[in-house]
């Protein structure tokens, strides 16, 4: 992207969106950032961006909001979604499908604004479940999304929205690009509360054991499940490369380094300098038995693939979560880090406890998912959103 452009990033208050905003700002582009969360819950706040935050200005289910943020834009990065790790998407299938409102209104607004590029964040959860039944998985090729048998709720919505991107390009000429992210991790991501994915969750659990002195860890499933995990810097680079490429088909954006969850725990223990007693929670959310990214196509198209090793990425992620954790918990309160904050609207996550007095009950009635705050309702989980611009004097 040579000259300065105006880029819109939805879900900018979240993990990947926060990093993507930082990337485009440092490259000298104008960033319009939108997120339904109030600004003080954003994972990264970039003062130089034009921030649209909260359930009135930043809710991309609202077509008026979408039209306002897309006006005059050159590119749109559609990342906003109600999502999380297996603990969330297995317990909130309907909520995950409501992201179709955000995707539909944003693609309509982008089309109306005549943007040059519309990037859509799809997911490896679109892949046919029957092809992911064995931990010794054959890496998934793009064609393995069909015949369609995606992850319930979340995966179906992602596959539908992929098709919408294709038809908006074919029928209306909107330049859409789609990447299927494979489990992304890194600093400035979700590490507690129930939406976190395995890398952050395992880091948090090892850190809780180190801080509390209680040397045991609860692992969901039997630990033989396999995945690949992509470091955030590779994800941001891949988004940029794919958006500015001629790749018209949905493409894998993921690491091809396959590990079992037990091996993921080994890595976190080695970083933390501990060996823990492992307890396996077999009734906890497990997702598929095995999943890996086949990077043949992205190599052919871009002569590049995600390459940060899991060990290197986990080191940075563990260190960041350790700082966040110890700023919030002590040896005595460390156990509270594993409580999910879901309201009664979703089944409590087995093994992670359920907070019946969830302070988010009131937001539930307003249809604003728990954890995003809500006008008048209890605010989402407070997190010190890092005011990057202010801190770095940008
Ligand atoms: P995240 O939860 O950190 O960020 C998503 C953000 O979207 C949140 O901050 C949330 O507040 C916001 N949002 C939700 N509903 C909204 C609405 N109506 N209007 C505006 N904002 C809204 O998740 P992430 O990991 O940064 O994921 C970003 C995108 O990438 C999502 O579309 C996700 O489905 C996709 N993806 C992520 C992964 C991964 O491993 N992180 C894997 C596959 C796909
Ligand atoms: O949550 P997740 O990272 O999502 O889980 C990976 C594996 O790790 C699962 O088998 C899960 O049971 C196991 N696991 C073990 N302990 C824990 O404490 C834990 N917490 C979590 N979260 N998992 C644990 C994800 C989706 C994303 C996105 C990516 C795309 O599915 O949740 O929304 O779409 O896929 O790759 P995962 O990889 O199953």
């Amino acid at each position: 992207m040579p000259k300065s452009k105006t880029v819109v990033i939805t879900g900018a208050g979240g993990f990947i969106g926060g990093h993507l905003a930082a990337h485009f700002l440092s490259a000298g582009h104008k960033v319009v950032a939108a997120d339904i969360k109030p600004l003080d819950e954003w994972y990264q706040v970039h003062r130089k961006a034009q921030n649209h935050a909260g359930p009135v200005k930043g809710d991309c289910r609202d077509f008026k909001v979408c039209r306002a943020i897309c006006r005059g834009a050159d590119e749109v990065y559609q990342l906003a979604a109600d999502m999380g790790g297996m603990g969330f998407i297995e317990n909130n299938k309907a909520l995950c499908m409501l992201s179709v409102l955000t995707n539909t209104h944003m693609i309509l607004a982008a089309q109306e604004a005549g943007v040059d590029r519309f990037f859509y964040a799809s997911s490896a959860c679109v892949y046919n479940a029957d092809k992911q039944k064995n931990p010794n998985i054959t890496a998934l090729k793009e064609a393995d999304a069909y015949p369609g048998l995606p992850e319930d709720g979340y995966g179906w919505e992602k596959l539908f929205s992929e098709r919408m991107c294709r038809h908006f390009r074919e029928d209306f000429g909107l330049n859409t690009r789609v990447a299927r992210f494979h489990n992304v991790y890194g600093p400035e991501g979700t590490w507690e509360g129930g939406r976190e994915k395995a890398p952050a969750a395992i880091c948090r659990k090892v850190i809780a054991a180190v801080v509390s002195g209680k040397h045991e860890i609860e692992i969901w499933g039997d630990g033989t499940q396999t995945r690949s995990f992509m470091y955030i810097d590779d994800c941001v680079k891949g988004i940029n490369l794919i958006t500015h490429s001629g790749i018209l088909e949905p493409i894998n954006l993921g690491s091809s380094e396959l590990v079992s969850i037990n091996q993921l725990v080994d890595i976190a223990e080695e970083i933390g300098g501990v060996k823990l007693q492992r307890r396996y929670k077999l009734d906890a959310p497990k997702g598929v038995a095995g999943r890996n990214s086949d990077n043949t196509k992205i190599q052919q198209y871009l002569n590049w693939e995600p390459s940060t090793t899991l060990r290197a990425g986990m080191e940075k992620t563990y260190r960041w979560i350790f700082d966040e954790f110890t700023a919030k918990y002590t040896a005595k309160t460390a156990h509270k880090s594993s409580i999910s904050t879901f309201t009664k609207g979703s089944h409590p996550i087995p093994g992670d406890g359920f907070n019946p007095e969830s302070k988010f009950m009131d937001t539930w009635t307003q249809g604003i998912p728990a954890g995003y705050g809500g006008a008048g309702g209890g605010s989402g989980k407070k997190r010190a959103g890092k005011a990057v611009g202010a801190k770095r004097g940008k």
Side-chain angles (χ1 to χ4, degrees):
M1 231 185 350
K3 68 181 182 59
S4 170
K5 296 204 166 185
T6 298
V7 301
V8 173
I9 301 171
T10 70
F15 169 42
I16 300 172
H19 283 272
L20 195 63
H23 166 80
F24 283 130
L25 285 168
S26 61
H29 301 295
K30 180 171 175 251
V31 170
V32 177
D35 200 295
I36 194 171
K37 290 184 296 197
L39 202 61
D40 65 358
E41 292 174 29
W42 287 29
Y43 291 174
Q44 297 181 59
V45 176
H46 300 287
R47 297 284 173 222
K48 276 185 67 181
Q50 190 189 94
N51 295 316
H52 299 250
V56 177
K57 285 175 56 188
D59 183 352
C60 297
R61 293 172 298 186
D62 179 341
F63 189 39
K64 288 192 304 302
V65 168
C66 299
R67 297 174 101 170
I69 63 176
C70 287
R71 208 165 287 126
D74 298 303
E75 300 185 346
V76 170
Y77 294 81
Q78 173 49 20
L79 275 60
D82 204 353
M83 67 82 68
M86 277 326 291
F88 183 81
I89 68 174
E90 208 164 275
N91 290 291
N92 292 278
K93 297 183 174 105
L95 265 186
C96 288
M97 294 206 88
L98 285 177
S99 293
V100 72
L101 288 171
T102 318
N103 292 329
T104 306
H105 289 155
M106 275 305 296
I107 201 166
L108 276 169
Q111 166 65 22
E112 181 184 77
V115 303
D116 299 333
R117 281 288 188 281
F118 181 90
F119 173 83
Y120 175 60
S122 185
S123 163
C125 282
V126 303
Y127 284 114
N128 182 307
D130 285 345
K131 299 178 182 183
Q132 304 173 80
K133 288 189 162 171
N134 189 327
N136 307 314
I137 179 94
T138 304
L140 295 159
K141 296 180 296 303
E142 285 78 1
D144 290 330
Y146 296 99
L149 192 61
E151 180 75 37
D152 235 353
Y154 176 77
W156 279 105
E157 191 282 324
K158 287 291 184 185
L159 193 60
F160 169 84
S161 297
E162 283 189 7
R163 307 291 292 193
M164 196 163 53
C165 288
R166 172 181 154 190
H167 297 311
F168 264 66
R169 187 180 67 252
E170 291 169 348
D171 295 358
F172 304 144
L174 179 66
N175 241 327
T176 55
R177 296 292 183 271
V178 177
R180 291 173 181 160
F181 297 166
H182 287 249
N183 211 311
V184 189
Y185 74 102
E188 307 286 353
T190 307
W191 55 276
E192 63 170 345
R195 291 178 187 270
E196 67 281 357
K197 287 168 227 35
I202 297 300
C203 285
R204 184 200 74 230
K205 291 180 175 181
V206 170
I207 292 163
V210 168
V211 169
S212 67
K214 207 168 160 227
H215 284 190
E216 59 182 30
I217 183 171
E218 179 183 89
I219 298 167
W220 294 357
D222 62 8
T224 62
Q225 310 96 288
T226 55
R227 294 289 187 278
S228 72
F229 299 106
M230 173 170 61
Y231 190 63
I232 182 63
D233 291 355
D234 288 326
C235 182
V236 168
K237 179 172 181 178
I239 290 171
N240 203 11
L241 290 173
I242 291 164
T243 303
H244 302 105
S245 75
I247 305 172
L248 301 184
E249 61 183 310
I251 186 123
N252 276 330
L253 179 52
S255 164
S256 54
E257 181 188 354
L258 186 69
V259 291
S260 71
I261 298 305
N262 277 324
Q263 289 168 320
L264 182 69
V265 177
D266 293 342
I267 291 171
E269 285 179 333
E270 191 222 326
I271 296 165
V274 286
K275 277 308 276 175
L276 305 176
Q277 171 79 34
R278 297 185 184 190
R279 285 187 293 108
Y280 293 98
K281 185 92 188 133
L282 300 180
D283 62 354
K286 289 181 282 296
V288 295
R291 178 182 288 152
N292 193 11
S293 179
D294 179 308
N295 289 344
T296 306
K297 279 200 179 226
I298 196 166
Q299 274 285 11
Q300 281 167 347
Y301 276 120
L302 300 175
N303 191 29
W304 173 86
E305 67 175 294
S307 59
T308 304
T309 64
L310 184 58
R311 179 62 182 73
M314 281 289 278
E315 176 84 35
K316 291 179 185 165
T317 307
Y318 183 100
R319 299 289 172 225
W320 178 79
I321 295 175
F322 186 86
D323 292 346
E324 294 284 304
F325 189 101
T326 49
K328 187 171 177 182
Y329 298 106
T330 64
K332 280 205 174 61
T333 60
H335 65 285
K336 291 187 177 172
S337 63
S338 70
I339 289 178
S340 150
T341 55
F342 291 130
T343 69
K344 290 189 174 60
S346 63
H347 315 293
I349 295 185
D352 266 40
F354 175 59
N355 178 357
E357 278 71 55
S358 164
K359 58 179 178 300
F360 305 128
M361 275 314 282
D362 44 359
T363 56
W364 197 261
T365 52
Q366 291 150 16
I368 295 171
Y372 289 157
S379 65
K381 202 163 190 48
K382 284 273 171 278
R383 253 185 68 140
K386 204 171 84 183
V388 179
K391 257 195 190 159
R392 295 185 191 156
K394 277 185 182 169

